[in-house]
Amino acid sequence: MAVTETSVSIAPVATVAGMRAAQIRHRLMLWVPAGFVIALMAVCFIGPFVLPLPAPIGGDILNSSLPPGAPGHLLGTDASGNDILSRLIYGGRSSLIVAITVNAVGLAIGGLIGAISAYAGGVTDAIIMRALDVLIAFPSLVLIIVIAQGLGPSLSTTILALIAFSVPAVARLSRSAALQVTSMPFIQAAQLSGSPAWRVLLRHIAPNIAPQLLNFLALGMGIIIVTEGALSFLGLGIPVPDPSWGNMIFDGQQALSATPLQVLWPSLALLLTVLAFNLLGENVRDEMSTR
Amino acid sequence: MNVVETEVGVEAPVGMAPSGASGSGKEPRPILEVNDLRVTFSRAGAPPLHAVNGLSYSVRSGRTLAIIGESGSGKSVSVRALMGLLPPSAFVTGSATLSDTELIGMNEKALRQIRGNDIAMVFQDPARSLNPTMSVGKQIGEAVRMHLQIGRKEVAERAVELLKLVRLPAAEHRYHEYPHQLSGGMRQRVMIAIALAANPKLLIADEATTALDVTTQAQIMELLVDLQERLGTAVIMISHDLALAASYADDVLVMYAGKIVERADTKTLFRHVRHPYTKALLEAIPQLGVPSHTSLKTIAGEPPDLSALPVGCAFRARCPRAVDICAIKEPPLDEHEPGHRFACWNPHPASGDKDTGIPIDIRTRDEDLS
Amino acid sequence: SPPTSPSAAGADAGTPQRGGAITVLLDAGFAGGWATGLDPATSNTVGANLSQMSAIYGGLFVLNADKDGKNGRIEPTQAESFKYSSDGLTLTIKLRSGMTFSDGTPVNADAVLWNWVRDLDSGSTSAPTNVLLARNMKPKISSELKQSILDALPAGYDPVKVEQDMGAIVPVDDLTVEVHFSAVNATFINGLPGTNLNWLASPTAYKKLGAAAFKVTPVGAGPFTIASNTMSQKLALERNPHYFKSGLPYLDKLTFQSVTGDQVAYQTLQAGQADAIEGLSTVSLITKAQSNPDLQVTLIPPTSPYVIQLNTRMAPFDNIKAREAIYYATDWAAINKGVFNGNGEPSESFTASAGLFYTPKVPGYRTFDLAKAKALVQELGGLKIVLNTISTGVAPVVVTALQTQWKKAGIDVELKTQALGDLISTFISGQWQSFLQTAGAWDPATGIGVGVRFGSTSPFSGTPLPKGAANAKDALKQRLTTHLDDLLASAAGTLDVAKRGDLYKQVAQIISDEAYAPFGFAFSPAEIVRKGVHGPGLTTPIPAVAVNTGILYDQVWVSKK
Amino acid sequence: MTSSALIPVVRSEERTSLLGRVAGSPLVRLAVRRLLVSVLIVFAITAIVFALLEATSGDIARKQAGMSASEEQVAALRHQMGLDTPPVVRYFSWLGAVFRGDFGHSLISGQPISTLLAERLPVTIELVVLAFVVSLAVAVPIAVLAAHKPGGIFDRIVMVISMTLLALPNYVLALLLVIVFSVMLRMLPAIGYAPLDQGVIPNLISVTMPVLALSIPLFAFYTRFLRGDLVEVMNSEDYVETARSKGAGPWRVLWQHAFRNSSFGMLTIVGLNVGGLVGGTVIIEQIFAMPGLGVTLLQGALAGDSPVVLVCVIIFAAIAVGANLVVDLMYAVLDPRIRYGSH
Amino acid sequence: MTDTDQMTLSTTATRLEPLLSVRNLVQEFVSRGPGGVKTGVVHAVSDVSLDLMSGETLGIVGETGSGKTTLARSIIQLDRPQSGEVIFEGQNLVGMSKRRLKQARANIQMVYQDPFGSLNPRWRIQDVVEEPLLGYTRMKSAARRERVRELLDMVGLNPDVYLRRRPMELSGGQAQRVAIARAIALNPKIIICDEAISSLDVLIQAQIINLFEKLRAELGLSYLFIAHNLATVKQVSDRVAVMYLGRIVEVGPSEQIYNAPLHPYTRALLDSVPGLDPETGVAHRPVAQEGETPSPLDPPSGCRFRTRCPFAQDICAEVNPALIEHRPGHLAACHFPLDDPDGVAAALK
Ligand SMILES: Nc1ncnc2c1ncn2[C@@H]1O[C@H](COP(=O)(O)OP(=O)(O)OP(=O)(O)O)[C@@H](O)[C@H]1O
Ligand SMILES: Nc1ncnc2c1ncn2[C@@H]1O[C@H](COP(=O)(O)OP(=O)(O)OP(=O)(O)O)[C@@H](O)[C@H]1O
Ligand SMILES: [Mg+2]
Ligand SMILES: [Mg+2]
């Protein structure tokens, strides 16, 4: 934001009022997406208990593929006669659980591994990185098929498969960011201050690589949800009839020409979510910026 | 994307014949005039911090203005404001004209023409101000390229030349090195080389020599003096080394809590110190002639919190000469004597009679450089 | 909108015209996959690749039907006629005279022998099972022919069996072949179009090309020859000028392109990049295509109804009450209406209208009755089951609907959808409770017909094992059978059609009485062409041989614009 | 030109010293060492893949045979596929053959794998290379443009567009592209691949949509990621100010200073994606009916065709390891502090 | 070599064991050109020996790039030295295991030349100063917080104002003071100040110096005080060492070094000091010295200063002058030391 805001703020009109306006704008930028994310979570996680929704599964087969606005079905029904709105909300829950879990585990394990690797350097670094190379170079397709065949599709295997991709990715990214941080003098200063490795990692390196990881993870939210749907192509993914945005999109696209709306709704939900998470991520990052 | 460059004035590269600019003796018109400059930092969740509060001064071509003063009094911020290099949280008001061009509020594009070309700056913290992933030669070369339309090879040659100019040993070799491979003083000299790359009209040296040993410092200062003489460069030097300021500046400006507390030409200021803060500064300087471990004379207390400036004089709490009015009204920066301004209700007595030493005319020395 | 009447579509076709080229889209997961090549002796996907096979080889026999799809029957094509001996143990097949392979070599009785021994002894899974050839005859053929056959067999063949097979298949004269059986095989000819025996390849060309190349560019005597073949991707064919039916084929060029998924196929057709889709099964796209004026939809007359196989060898379906509960809890009519727009055809046994021995009603068949289902479930103290099915096509929707219906009866259902390969593994493991499948074929004894689904020793069956057998292998070894097995065997061994029909009625009755598997309704995929493409099987319905239709590509033509 | 003219006359000690210096370069040493390790990694992966396939794919012959095959037929097939030898023996005989330069034959089709590769590898390579070239070529300038004025109109528009594209799975995108460009506009073929020997133009036309479908999500991701990083660097690094103070324009600052720094994260991501994408082409290859290696691997893995799978795995793993190796070397080239690392 | 060692040891005047003694310390950096090809070796610190007694302040002055920072970093083992010994309380820090080093470091703290770089930009001042307390003490959180306030107060920063700031919101001098507060937090035995106060205004400099003096008097701290401002160095130091191109060229009691330098380089340094008489306000502008500093990549043979030395003779190019005690406790490495103390003193005036 440096370029614009500086040139704006330099304008002699800058007053306390102007300053306040800027601050308020700044707050809004943070709270609008944050509000959306909170609302989204609330709808998806609490909604099923409080909203008068029909069940997302077990719809009446005789009422299948109803158009939007059909009585009792705001967005219509799908090929099995399930209420699409209800599936969107329940599906959002699964999708968010998948995305958040994968991101959280990816960040916690991958982020840590990468930072440790960069900080420790030497043999430890080499061993960790080569181990990650094995994971990264392991063809994802084979891994998915093996997991699908070995464990069968379910919410947890989906999460497992996605974590298997996310951890090494975050680890590498984290390492690359941490490598730059570890060369800073304040890391040495911390060592002189007797900070043990874990504190250097968690308190010095982590916050300094956080912006980049955050950037990545916010983007990752959408990708994970989308990928979860793509896994259905390969026999994994959240199994029918349980909804998730990913498998709703996947199911819908199988007859896209006939049922475009069944792709549109979950895609829209996904888009709004991705947007909100990214705006939020971006603004949290701005907030974390050192200036 | 190429930067369109406008030639501002005729500028000869360093080391060539002077372009007939002002030498010593004349009284050229101010190149930079700063008027009521104010900078406030405002970050969500923190009270606004008033770093610079109404700064006014001018600098003339070929002259040197020294800004001295308390650490944290807004010296760096005030000069960064001139170049439009403050973070987004900074709100700048007031005016600063460079040869009749208003700098404050100028758009980024126009500012770019000014930066480096007309004003160059040596940053206080060379370690952070150099790009860690670019060789120093390239970084100097970049500054050269911004102002001269010359080929790659010439740029490199010029960069090496500049490195030699700032007395960096093994310049050809250092050209390829990265900032982390240099010592503190070397980095600082790289920063100076960058600033000199374009023969600016105004050079701002923010503690440009603190990391240099005195011999190198003297060499660099001579280099600047030479530049001034040949090209009429105006210099703003920010320094905590009062002796250095006294030795090389024409005018001195003392800052405290974002304000000027005293301002005069060098001779006058150091010989007729009126403001108690300036006096305190002078008395705190360690002296070579004094035995080791003699306790230094300091004044108690701390500088005020810039986000909650007190009413009245900001220095009052620490001032040995404070009187009642100091707590009520802010002393104006008046020209109490010709060319000597200070902001104090109860200044030290004028001490014209106590004139003992022979003033050094800093323009009379003719030292050959290189 | 109601489906375009197939007979109407066929009626306004006009006179066929020579020339033109068409591209036909096949589903990569089924007909569009020919990973093991197109040599009938070594291909494991002959049953799926009927279109490619008939285009390249023509075929000894084809399954044809009237223009309205009725009266499905086996017709000799390269064969002129066939005849069973009165004891049913000798089959005489006469070939048409004057036929040549596209490399110019003659199609004769020796070629049949050469092909059939290879087909039966190369380890191909496309060979018919239970051929029951006579095992005591010495081959009476030239050593040259014998050597040529042996050279064309893969390493590790069983020499004893090869010798026996060479003895049982006797080239009587240049155009006559006798097949000697050890027991009556009534389904041999009916099953032929779905197996590799139907497709005659040129022995000379094989010798010239070698085994590997022959899988890619085999030579037959069919209406087309191969221009290029990217395995499981694209097969480009050209008119065979020496095709034995004069004036045929109509087309100059025929290309098979495999695509993944019905949506892709539909789009590609819409984009004008293809002229026909074989076997589109997504109901909503079929409906969409039916309302598209540029397209013509032909529903394949169904031969295989949906069935829920219940595994009687495992809890809970080892208890007939649990099986009955499933019968009563299932409302097929609703599923037919909701999922298939009512286009499905109800059946209470393993047959459908286009197949042989169609038996829509079975006396005492348990139909939808929620109250009874509830009562049974209550009696059982609840019912929790796993329902498996294939992950493609419409099956996931059907099982979802079943889950919902059964839930109403108090049955808890966990759904498990799998890819075909995994599904087979699951079957073989025996560790499954229920499967939604299709059962049957044009002749129920062939293909994935009644024997595969209900014979006690089939790995794909859940009917009770013979008494005293620990598992299917054991039963096979000890030659133990159940009553159902015996009925199925004698049905397969009976030439008399009426008698066979009777036997199948009994089979259907047992299945119904014992509640082994509730049958739903039969629904087959559709053939979709752009307007202007005509052909038997494509725009006029022909029943599926086993799963898909053998389209008669030599008679497919396009109207010039 | 005679051959002797090609050999520069270098005094022997000069040559060795030059060679010695280059070989002594830590970058070269690092590259060589890592290359050796990479080969080991690739083969470690093949061993793992083989073991996993063995463990999970069940009775391959039975699966291959389908439902109507009899037990004897399946047994014959099993023998024909060579599945009646122990897995360890099979793996090592395969490995030995590979080291002799023989990739072996497919279990399923019996075709030599080398012909399969010759036919399919170019397709996937072309898709992947073009997808990266296109996505990076578009994403980098757009990210820089957006970072130029964060919060500006362009930035916002780019954000909404890239987010939309990011929320759109590439398989849906592929279908939409076909509907628009093939069905509605009839501009591009809906399916199929024209090999290069049919001419460059037909080839490019045939890969246009697959490449778009692959590169658009990448583009969206890269744009957002790079833009975010650039803004971060522009906001928090002092040397950016130094560059500004030299009079360097915002573009120059972005390219020369911020971009170089942000390129670390970018490089990492690209390196990761290269590995991911070679397998990730499978869905796109399927939708556009491209005879690519992704489909080959998928079919092979589903059928338990281990020789085919292993060879695909070698290729994919080598590409992924190679990409990450290049990325690591690039770090060292781009950041001298890492190259000479003092910690 | 041993010559020098004994000399240095014997000149420490007292029989006390030195708190810290550095022996023959060598630190070199490989310099690389484009592509990482080795192009030379920077002789940053070449065979440096020195002692630091308990309660003593040793000032180190010298040319920029002469290896002062490198020396400091090598002592504290931030860069492991090439060779040599660093004996602290009888233990050699060189080659010591990380864990034991950590213990030793509690007693040797350092203030960096580059204040911002040494402060984590995302931390609040409170956390920065608290860090060593967390690392080395078992103080309760309340006690720690109290101590932090006390420390900030000591370095002249109002805790109420600065506790919650982040480094970027500080001026250069404020950042430097935060670094000092962190260094003294543990009451270490030795503080190494690398230009620790050069970016402070003189009033605060004076405050900090007084603070240092106070800590020295009360707690017996020792300092290694690296600075360019000779007056400041003199103010704080008992002894001063002068470095030139990786070597110590002169070391001795500060009064003597300043009043009667033996080495021509020391003399040149003193001549370059700008002066200002606080009483009269008269400034003294130094004479810029001639000549270029040689490259540390290829230091001159023999005496490294010879290329700039007005008194250089042939022998200077051949023999590296040993650091010899010329006066009690006053050593210089010069073949032709300036032996006229009066002359030097006069030149100063
Ligand atoms: N980005 C910022 N946000 C908030 N406050 C700031 C920021 N930058 C500087 N300040 C405050 O502004 C005041 C002036 O800072 P400035 O850097 O100009 O001081 P200075 O006079 O240069 O001091 P020094 O001599 O120590 O360098 C200080 O109190 C500092 O804390
Ligand atoms: N990491 C490094 N890699 C390569 N060379 C280095 C490195 N650190 C320092 N040097 C070199 O070592 C020499 C000594 O540097 P050092 O920083 O110790 O000097 P210094 O005496 O502290 O100088 P200053 O007063 O300017 O801070 C210099 O020539 C410098 O270029
Ligand atoms: Mg400053
Ligand atoms: Mg230093």
Side-chain angles (χ1 to χ4, degrees), chain B residues 169 174 177-189 210-213, chain D residues 340 342, chain E residues 27-32 42-45 62-73 79 113 194-195 226-228 243 245-246 295-297:
Chain B
R174 297 291 186 193
E177 295 204 333
Y178 291 87
H180 75 281
Q181 291 171 284
L182 302 185
S183 81
M186 292 172 179
R187 285 179 210 147
Q188 200 156 48
R189 279 177 283 172
T210 24
L212 301 181
D213 64 277
Chain D
Y340 312 123
S342 49
Chain E
Q27 184 68 288
E28 284 163 0
F29 297 103
V30 174
S31 168
R32 295 181 190 279
V42 177
H43 301 268
V45 171
E63 165 118 277
T64 53
S66 59
K68 303 180 296 296
T69 301
T70 308
L71 174 64
R73 290 172 59 88
D79 297 325
Q113 185 168 7
D194 191 2
E195 311 260 10
I226 301 170
H228 287 303
M243 284 189 75
L245 223 59
S295 158
L297 284 158

Side-chain angles (χ1 to χ4, degrees), chain B residues 185-208:
Chain B
M186 292 172 179
R187 285 179 210 147
Q188 200 156 48
R189 279 177 283 172
V190 170
M191 289 302 295
I192 295 172
I194 287 174
L196 295 184
N199 302 318
K201 286 187 196 156
L202 172 64
L203 176 72
I204 302 173
D206 192 353
E207 312 207 8

Side-chain angles (χ1 to χ4, degrees), chain E residues 171-338:
Chain E
S171 76
Q174 290 164 343
Q176 194 63 275
R177 278 180 279 168
V178 171
I180 293 172
R182 172 173 61 186
I184 62 178
L186 295 171
N187 291 328
K189 299 204 169 121
I190 299 176
I191 294 180
I192 301 176
C193 298
D194 191 2
E195 311 260 10
I197 59 170
S198 16
S199 53
L200 303 177
D201 72 61
V202 281
L203 263 174
I204 297 165
Q205 273 188 20
Q207 252 175 32
I208 303 278
I209 289 173
N210 288 351
L211 171 70
F212 281 171
E213 290 290 331
K214 191 174 133 220
L215 294 173
R216 192 165 77 111
E218 289 173 4
L219 305 170
L221 289 195
S222 307
Y223 299 90
L224 215 56
F225 196 92
I226 301 170
H228 287 303
N229 189 320
L230 295 176
T232 311
V233 171
K234 181 177 180 207
Q235 166 68 32
V236 299
S237 307
D238 301 297
R239 288 189 304 133
V240 173
V242 182
M243 284 189 75
Y244 186 80
L245 223 59
R247 292 206 173 124
I248 290 184
V249 293
E250 184 166 3
V251 57
S254 47
E255 288 297 336
Q256 279 192 40
I257 293 274
Y258 281 74
N259 292 327
L262 290 171
H263 199 282
Y265 176 65
T266 315
R267 168 94 182 258
L269 267 185
L270 290 167
D271 285 347
S272 305
V273 177
L276 176 65
D277 186 331
E279 300 298 319
T280 61
V282 177
H284 162 85
R285 194 172 177 179
V287 188
Q289 296 290 311
E290 303 266 334
E292 302 236 353
T293 315
S295 158
L297 284 158
D298 182 19
S301 62
C303 173
R304 288 186 179 173
F305 186 61
R306 75 176 156 86
T307 52
R308 295 170 74 191
C309 182
F311 312 111
Q313 311 265 323
D314 288 351
I315 185 179
C316 301
E318 284 148 24
V319 181
N320 175 21
L323 197 59
I324 295 170
E325 188 163 16
H326 290 269
R327 306 197 191 103
H330 190 164
L331 293 79
C334 184
H335 293 295
F336 306 100
L338 307 164

Side-chain angles (χ1 to χ4, degrees), chain D residues 138-194:
Chain D
V138 182
V140 171
I142 288 192
V144 172
L145 270 170
H148 171 50
K149 265 196 185 174
I153 304 258
F154 184 78
D155 186 34
R156 295 278 167 221
I157 292 175
V158 168
M159 171 159 89
V160 171
I161 291 178
S162 53
M163 285 297 138
T164 311
L165 295 177
L166 207 57
L168 210 57
N170 63 5
Y171 52 90
V172 174
L173 192 72
L175 297 178
L176 292 178
L177 284 173
V178 172
I179 291 178
V180 172
F181 291 103
S182 301
V183 176
M184 284 158 65
L185 300 175
R186 299 251 169 167
M187 278 168 57
L188 296 166
I191 54 161
Y193 174 76

